[in-house]
């Protein structure tokens, strides 16, 4: 696909401290703290990667600049796992009145992918209503894997909790010891193709979790049946929480799950959660707990090994 003449004039650069001054528009502002943190950690992280080969690769951030020097777009990508075999497009923001949204997105995605030659798979999220971005992702080989509804829970006021967990169930804070239980839970709750692409190990789940993440463990079977993982890639709109429930324990969708959510997110409201739109029971439960819908998103993926077959 050829890009338009306006996009041919755009200049792509790795994000630098001097670019932060360009983030003046209101929709750029929420991203400033995260970008500042990313830049401050850049050199220490590179040194750590040089000293420790097992460390996760550093994020990649690119900006697209107009000939005048103004900011047209920005993309941040991060590894999903320490081995760098799977990456995700974590942030993609474009200038509000940008005319060539699809072409600009294509340029940014193509450049970031070229800068991570070791990645076998890529994952991205986009609003189901953002046709230009979806067109760009699909042009670059991304295919839809999931359709999800994003929900926001402002507080615990309407959560229908239980004063005490059922007999053999116990809440445990996520740590290196029980992270293997979380991995088994994630494998059971994640669609098979997405699971294969992410190629996650227990240390990857810990890397992307904040303190306070909790597991609900069946102590008799030594099995995690549910989890609330507080993600460290949370946006300015609220803390992102990955709420997982083992398919064989759907009866916990009620007071036990609400209790797990309340205790893990005690001081982090508001929170954002995602639910597959085909999960009617989960969608209904979130609504009954006072959650509000934000937007519908598509989860898309691009796999190098599948493209080479």
């Amino acid at each position: 696909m050829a890009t338009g003449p306006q996009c041919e004039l755009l200049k792509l650069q790795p994000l630098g401290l001097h670019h932060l001054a360009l983030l003046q528009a209101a929709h750029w502002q929420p991203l400033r703290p995260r970008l500042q943190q990313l830049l401050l950690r850049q050199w220490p992280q590179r040194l750590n990667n040089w000293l420790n080969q097992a460390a996760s690769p550093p994020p990649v951030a690119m900006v697209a600049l107009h000939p005048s020097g103004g900011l047209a777009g920005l993309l941040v990508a991060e590894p999903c796992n320490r081995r760098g075999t799977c990456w995700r497009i974590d942030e993609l923001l474009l200038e509000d009145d940008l005319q060539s949204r699809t072409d600009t997105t294509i340029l940014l995605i193509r450049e970031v992918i070229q800068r991570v030659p070791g990645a076998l798979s890529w994952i991205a999220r986009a609003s189901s209503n953002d046709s230009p971005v979806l067109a760009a992702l699909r042009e670059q080989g991304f295919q839809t894997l999931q359709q999800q509804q994003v929900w926001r829970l402002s507080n615990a006021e309407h959560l229908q909790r239980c004063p005490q967990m059922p007999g053999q169930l116990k809440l445990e804070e996520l740590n290196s010891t029980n992270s293997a239980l979380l991995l088994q839970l994630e494998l059971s709750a994640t669609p098979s193709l997405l699971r294969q692409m992410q190629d996650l190990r227990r240390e990857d789940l810990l890397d992307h979790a904040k303190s306070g993440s909790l597991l609900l463990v069946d102590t008799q079977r030594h099995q995690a049946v549910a989890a609330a993982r507080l993600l460290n890639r949370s946006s300015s709109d609220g803390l992102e929480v990955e709420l997982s429930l083992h398919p064989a324990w759907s009866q916990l969708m009620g007071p036990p799950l609400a209790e797990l959510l309340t205790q893990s997110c005690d001081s982090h409201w508001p929170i954002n959660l995602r639910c597959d739109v085909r999960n009617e029971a989960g969608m209904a439960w979130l609504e009954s707990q006072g959650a509000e819908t934000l937007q519908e998103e598509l989860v898309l993926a691009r796999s190098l090994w599948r493209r080479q077959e």
Side-chain angles (χ1 to χ4, degrees), residues 38 166-167:
L38 186 152

Side-chain angles (χ1 to χ4, degrees), residues 74-89:
L74 180 148
L75 190 152
V76 178
E78 292 192 349
C80 295
N81 57 43
R82 289 188 184 182
R83 298 168 307 291
T85 58
C86 181
W87 282 64
R88 66 173 175 270
I89 296 175

Side-chain angles (χ1 to χ4, degrees), residues 48-177:
N48 184 48
N49 284 109
W50 182 72
L51 295 173
N52 180 10
Q53 296 299 315
S56 180
V60 175
M62 298 295 301
V63 295
L65 302 174
H66 290 295
S68 63
L71 194 59
L74 180 148
L75 190 152
V76 178
E78 292 192 349
C80 295
N81 57 43
R82 289 188 184 182
R83 298 168 307 291
T85 58
C86 181
W87 282 64
R88 66 173 175 270
I89 296 175
D90 218 27
E91 298 282 359
L92 175 59
L93 282 179
L94 301 172
E95 184 184 21
D96 277 340
D97 55 353
L98 188 67
Q99 295 181 3
S100 50
R101 293 177 63 86
T102 297
D103 289 347
T104 302
T105 303
I106 288 173
L107 287 177
L108 285 166
I109 293 173
R110 185 183 297 160
E111 181 66 24
V112 166
I113 288 176
Q114 289 176 352
R115 286 174 178 265
V116 191
L120 299 178
S121 300
W122 285 83
I123 295 172
R125 295 181 185 275
S127 168
S128 57
N129 296 322
D130 197 340
S131 298
V133 169
L134 289 173
L137 287 165
R138 288 170 176 144
E139 197 277 338
Q140 289 300 297
F142 284 78
Q143 297 180 345
T144 302
L145 293 185
Q146 279 184 299
Q147 188 174 358
Q148 297 181 328
Q149 181 70 50
V150 185
W151 297 78
R152 173 179 293 167
L153 198 55
S154 300
N155 52 58
E157 181 181 353
H158 298 291
L159 285 174
Q160 300 162 18
R161 306 167 54 184
C162 60
Q164 187 174 356
M165 287 291 182
Q168 78 275 23
L169 299 182
K170 177 186 176 184
L171 287 174
E172 294 184 8
E173 188 162 354
L174 175 64
N175 54 48
S176 58
T177 303

